Amino acid sequence: MAKKRTKSKSKPTTAKKKVSFRPSKQNKIILGSLLIVLSIALFFSFMSYYFTWQEDQSILSEFAHRNAQASNLLNKFGASVSHFFMYQGFGLASFAFPLLLAVTGLYLFLGLSGKGLIGKWIWGFIGIIWVSIALGFFASSQPLLGGLIGYEMNDFLQDYTGKIGVFLILIFMLMVILVQLFNFTPEGVANFFRSQRQKIKSDFQTETPVAKKQETEELPIELNLKEEEEVPVAVDTYTHKKDIPPLQNEAGLDVNLPQEEEADISLEVEKVKEEKEEKDIKAEKLVKDFGEFDPKLELGSYKFPPLELLEAHGAAGGITINQEELEENKNRIVSTLKNYKIGIAQIKATIGPTVTLYEIVPEAGIRISKIKNLEDDIALSLAALGIRIIAPIPGKGTVGIEVPNKNASIVSMRSVIASNKFQKAEMQLPIAFGKTISNETFVVDLAKMPHLLMAGATGQGKSVGLNAVITSLLYKKHPAEIKFILVDPKKVELTLYNKIERHFLAKLPDSDEAIITDNTKVINTLNSLCIEMDNRYELLKAAMVRNIKEYNAKFKARKLNPNDGHKFLPYIILVIDEFADLIMTAGKEVETPIARLAQLARAIGIHLIIATQRPSVNVITGIIKANFPARIAFRVTSKIDSRTILDAQGADQLIGRGDMLYTQGNDVTRLQCAFVDTPEVSKITEYIGSQRAYPEAHLLPEYVGEDSGTGIDYDISERDAMFREAAEVIVTAQQGSASLIQRKLKLGYNRAGRIIDQLEAAGIVGPFEGSKARQVLIPDMYSLEQFLENESK
């Protein structure tokens, strides 16, 4: 065994070092760029060659002369290279070389794996040879098409196999290419023709003659203006009970079913006795003596804000019907579609506050995609700011064309708050966003969303939308039932709500102002909210319930003991006005707690409302989008932004000023956001703020960040029991962070943070440096052992 060890030790001295020729990333980018530029040069040279090759024949022998000029787009270089590839090479098939060079260059430029690149070159070269021989065979009188190689190879093969043999060789090579590259099989071809034949057969069977209109302008337009109190009734002419034929026996016989005789003896059922648990008996006694617990009693004299505080913007006259505009738009839509041979059987208009929906029923045999592709043409004929085509409208057999009204109506916040739909909404957190395209108040439950993502360009209505959300909840909820955490990086949008701090706002214990404008406080608040979430889950676990609604119901019924830590839990709404600014300045420190809250906070009554004016993928990441199914898009500048926020197009076609699209993971609904002005918000907050309030704002759990322990000295006797193990983990990894200690030693965050502070006080790690990991001051394990031994002496 000893000899073997000596051999292995001597091996490295005699072994030769392997030389690696793998290029660096920079060299790959340079080489890739060169190949892409060369492919473009070859392509233009080849294109120009077919127009200038006769003029450039005399220049080929004068390549070294500087004064000689060629007609090719790339001068003498293009003429020479084109002559070599096109005439002396493979002819038209040479166009594959620039393509192969471009693909190779992209692989190198983008740093992609080269797996499969050699195969592309091999099959590309096989294809070049096949095309060259085929062109030499079928166009033997034009040597330029197949090139000299194709012409000579075709001539060589014909000398041995004849024309029929060359043709069979070409067929065989084509079959090899189809099978290897495109998975060609006889069954696939047979299935394709069979499906096409069945499709043609079904088209002939289902085609029914439709009487065409003499004049498209004579189509009657059906006006559909929905008022707030009207309830639409859907009638299906194909499912009337009177149309269902009576059930008959196949043989036409009368069938008499035997009837069971009723028994004369009556059955008396004794009531089942249920034994109640001791806790239920005590709870029932408390409820009987004192009634259910009412969290509103502390502010029992609180009065909700009256409707008079809101202005009736444009509500006096309601929606005005311009019959002339309707007829004009109808005629233009019909004539535009007629120009593209699209007939319309019926058209109906539904007038909304800012947009009119024209529902059309196309004639039989018209493809819906054909109408969808005419969006820009219809917008041009209507001279509209931006139209949106819904093809088809979900739940209806019609195609919708949304056209902006020339005179838009303002939807006031007062009209939606005063609506019957909002006032009688049986929801936990009702929000009235505005009115739909059919002039109906649109009310949704924030608790069901459970989080809301809002995006749109500057000045399109995001801040008004946030005010509409907050105003809806202020008009519906008592201060004991709901608390807001307001984050305002702009420092001017949400400052009006400072007046209701002791009624509706929540903040950190050491914070002076409830409206959060500093990014550091945002990070601490989000982490504090995560602690609140964990604490609430512990309460739900102890109460053996699944969500906040069941927990509060159980607490109100006095089935939970406050001495055990139980208390009434209000809903907490986190509102962030400009999320992109937080991501730019804080990054992962904000994104991580936001993602954690979005994933887990729904059941315990914490809901997030995030607004941003830049809906790019680095702001609205995949994790955030996955946990925000409810989204609102105001007008954006591009289709890409629309897809980012809605996963669909349409937000780029909105007309602005509160025009928005809402989706909750299924259909997209177009709304006009309710308008609430700054003076109205000020009146509401002053009305609430002037009433009796709680002693202070709702306090969140205290959160101590990593930088809070800087400069604090710890006595050796007070060190954590896991101090030495944590020091070894930090020195081994050479990375000082509390999260590393959490993962390696399976500790909680607070304990890991205390150990990090102790390591800093001992001089093993450096001070807190923001988002970076702390610097490790001990280089290796031997130095750590020496350090700890000297410290203990």
Side-chain angles (χ1 to χ4, degrees), residues 29 48 69 97 109 146 154 158 187 207 244 269 349-350 372 439 560 583 598 634 641 667 684 696 759:
I29 294 174
S48 179
Q69 298 294 318
F97 284 110
F109 186 83
N154 180 66
Q158 285 191 26
E187 294 84 358
E207 185 176 359
I244 302 175
V269 181
T350 303
K372 180 70 175 174
N439 202 36
L560 300 175
I583 291 293
F634 292 90
D641 290 344
D667 300 332
I684 294 169
E696 57 184 353
L759 291 171

Side-chain angles (χ1 to χ4, degrees), residues 56 79 93 123 161 174 193 202 220 229 246 281 397 404 485 493 506 521 562-563 599 692:
D56 294 340
W123 284 106
T161 61
L174 178 63
F193 284 107
S202 63
E229 292 76 21
I281 296 171
I485 299 174
E493 294 291 345
K521 291 184 179 179
N563 295 327
Q599 290 169 350
R692 178 174 171 269

Side-chain angles (χ1 to χ4, degrees), residues 38-53 56 72-75 77-87 89-101 128 144:
L38 182 59
S39 68
I40 296 172
L42 289 178
F43 176 78
F44 283 107
S45 301
F46 294 171
M47 288 291 293
S48 179
Y49 178 75
Y50 276 93
F51 299 98
T52 61
W53 68 274
D56 294 340
N72 194 286
L73 287 175
L74 272 79
N75 212 324
F77 169 80
S80 302
V81 171
S82 303
H83 181 77
F84 175 76
F85 278 97
M86 291 294 195
Y87 184 79
F90 301 95
L92 281 175
S94 300
F95 275 98
F97 284 110
L99 178 62
L100 291 170
L101 284 173
I128 290 170
L144 265 179

Side-chain angles (χ1 to χ4, degrees), residues 358-377:
Y358 294 87
E359 290 182 62
I360 63 174
V361 179
E363 292 180 350
I366 301 296
R367 291 185 177 273
I368 299 299
S369 59
K370 193 174 181 182
I371 301 176
K372 180 70 175 174
N373 294 334
L374 296 176
E375 193 172 77
D376 294 334
D377 301 274

Side-chain angles (χ1 to χ4, degrees), residues 374-490:
L374 296 176
E375 193 172 77
D376 294 334
D377 301 274
I378 297 173
L380 179 64
S381 67
L382 295 173
L385 184 62
I387 70 165
R388 177 170 167 261
I389 293 181
I390 313 167
I393 296 177
K396 296 183 179 180
T398 58
V399 176
I401 302 176
E402 295 176 349
V403 182
N405 297 336
K406 290 182 180 178
N407 298 317
S409 302
I410 298 175
V411 176
S412 66
M413 195 69 206
R414 176 169 181 163
S415 64
V416 296
I417 292 292
S419 66
N420 189 42
K421 196 170 185 179
F422 179 77
Q423 291 294 331
K424 295 186 178 180
E426 296 295 331
M427 300 177 180
Q428 299 174 53
L429 297 172
I431 296 174
F433 278 122
K435 291 192 176 182
T436 64
I437 203 168
S438 56
N439 202 36
E440 293 177 349
T441 301
F442 189 80
V443 183
V444 289
D445 190 0
L446 179 61
K448 298 285 181 65
M449 289 185 185
H451 310 293
L452 178 63
L453 190 60
M454 190 182 294
T458 304
Q460 302 304 319
K462 291 189 309 301
S463 297
V464 175
L466 287 177
N467 286 331
V469 171
I470 298 173
T471 303
S472 299
L473 296 172
L474 291 179
Y475 267 88
K476 200 70 175 178
K477 289 295 176 182
H478 190 274
E481 297 174 312
I482 188 171
K483 301 295 177 184
F484 292 96
I485 299 174
L486 303 180
V487 178
D488 184 14
K490 296 179 184 177

Side-chain angles (χ1 to χ4, degrees), residues 520 523 582-592 706-707 735-739 749 767-775:
T520 306
I523 297 168
L582 296 181
I583 291 293
M584 289 173 61
T585 55
K588 290 290 182 183
E589 292 179 289
V590 167
E591 184 182 348
T592 302
E706 281 192 355
D707 57 338
Q735 180 184 353
S737 68
S739 58
Y749 181 82
F768 179 73
E769 297 181 12
S771 59
K772 296 180 181 179
R774 295 170 182 257
Q775 183 181 1

